[in-house]
Amino acid sequence: MVNGSMPPQRQRSTPSVTSRLLRVASLHPAMMVGFAILAALVGASVLAPLLATHDPLLINPVARLRPPSREHLLGTDALGRDLWSRTVYGGRVSLAVGFSVAIMATVAGLAVGLLAGMNRLADAVLMRITDGLMAIPAILLAIALMAIVKASVGTVIFAITVVEIPRVIRLVRSVVLSVREQPYVEAATTLGSKFHRIMFLEILPNTIAPLTVQATYICAAAILIESLLSFVGAGTPPEVPSWGNIIAEGRNYFMLAPRLILAPGLVLALTILAINMIGDGMRDLLDPRFADKP
């Protein structure tokens, strides 16, 4: 007797989160290395009170310029402050500036870029302002803004954010101008979809991938600009430990104690390298042309 019932269909198994992470790690090992390095640096900064062996602001003239030892892992600076503790605490300021600028510049640039891409009159006005800001070198514009306001971590974040917003605006505008000419956007417009619906459902999702990649580069650039501002004396106040301040204070003693610059400099370079590795990996991961290639 033939069974007339249909054979059970085999259900397609959904890959688990672990398998997806392993696949991403195999396809983009450099990105995963960057994530690991950045996670270690962020963890060290968060746990600075536990990892630091001394008060980073404690001045001890008797112990000035001491070499590395059990008591002072990286030695002391010209004022007798523990270099290891200052480097660990300096990561808090530098990373906070980088992450804050990346978030604020991305959000502000996204809003302005969407407006410029969807409105021709706003585009004409906003793009001229953006071109004027981008014509000034980033570091010079940041120094000019810092000269107007009082030096603090908040003003440093504000100054660097103003510098980075025009780059995000131009990126979002270019994506909007390209996407709004696509057939599915024209079809939605023909069918009578409202402006805000087209904006948030059809155009905005297409900006997520390039903005994610751009945010990583903004974060790295912000950390570097903050260090440059602090190095030239236009950044965070001298009493606030940041990698730029530590390097600036140690440059006069480089021939006598190179570690005063090398220690924070290496950490700064490692941080920027890790963020750039993440950005390159995210670019390949989010690009459909390279996402599935081994």
Side-chain angles (χ1 to χ4, degrees), residues 117-132:
M118 297 298 293
N119 187 289
R120 296 185 182 276
L121 178 61
D123 181 47
V125 176
L126 293 173
M127 284 302 101
R128 300 297 75 76
I129 299 175
T130 301
D131 292 341

Side-chain angles (χ1 to χ4, degrees), residues 103-243:
I103 295 173
M104 294 172 61
T106 300
V107 173
L110 174 62
V112 178
L114 287 174
L115 177 61
M118 297 298 293
N119 187 289
R120 296 185 182 276
L121 178 61
D123 181 47
V125 176
L126 293 173
M127 284 302 101
R128 300 297 75 76
I129 299 175
T130 301
D131 292 341
L133 292 175
M134 294 189 68
I136 306 174
I139 187 64
L140 294 182
L141 180 58
I143 292 175
L145 293 173
M146 288 300 301
I148 300 174
V149 295
K150 183 180 179 181
S152 66
V153 177
T155 55
V156 169
I157 293 175
F158 170 76
I160 303 176
T161 300
V162 172
V163 170
E164 296 297 334
I165 284 178
R167 293 161 177 78
V168 181
I169 293 175
R170 294 194 67 88
L171 173 64
V172 175
R173 173 182 176 269
S174 65
V175 174
V176 173
L177 291 178
S178 176
V179 173
R180 75 178 188 181
E181 303 298 333
Q182 297 297 319
Y184 62 88
V185 176
E186 294 181 351
T189 304
T190 304
L191 293 175
S193 297
K194 295 183 178 180
F195 176 82
H196 67 274
R197 182 178 179 85
I198 296 176
M199 173 83 75
F200 291 104
L201 297 183
E202 305 294 346
I203 295 179
L204 182 60
N206 290 278
T207 65
I208 301 302
L211 273 181
T212 302
V213 178
Q214 184 69 14
T216 60
Y217 298 138
I218 290 176
C219 181
I223 294 175
L224 185 58
I225 293 176
E226 183 275 328
S227 299
L228 291 173
L229 290 175
S230 298
F231 185 79
V232 300
T236 55
E239 66 272 11
V240 178
S242 70
W243 292 333

Side-chain angles (χ1 to χ4, degrees), residues 94-108:
S94 298
L95 292 174
V97 170
F99 293 148
S100 299
V101 170
I103 295 173
M104 294 172 61
T106 300
V107 173

Side-chain angles (χ1 to χ4, degrees), residues 44-45 48-49 51-60 72-94 230 236-250 259-260 263-265 267:
S45 300
L51 297 177
T53 56
H54 295 77
D55 184 350
L57 302 179
L58 180 61
I59 297 176
N60 185 8
H72 302 285
L73 299 179
L74 295 177
T76 59
D77 62 6
L79 298 178
R81 296 171 296 189
D82 184 69
L83 184 59
W84 162 257
S85 301
R86 288 183 61 77
T87 302
V88 173
Y89 270 94
R92 285 186 158 190
V93 176
S94 298
S230 298
T236 55
E239 66 272 11
V240 178
S242 70
W243 292 333
N245 277 340
I246 299 172
I247 295 174
E249 293 169 355
R259 67 180 182 279
L260 298 180
V267 177

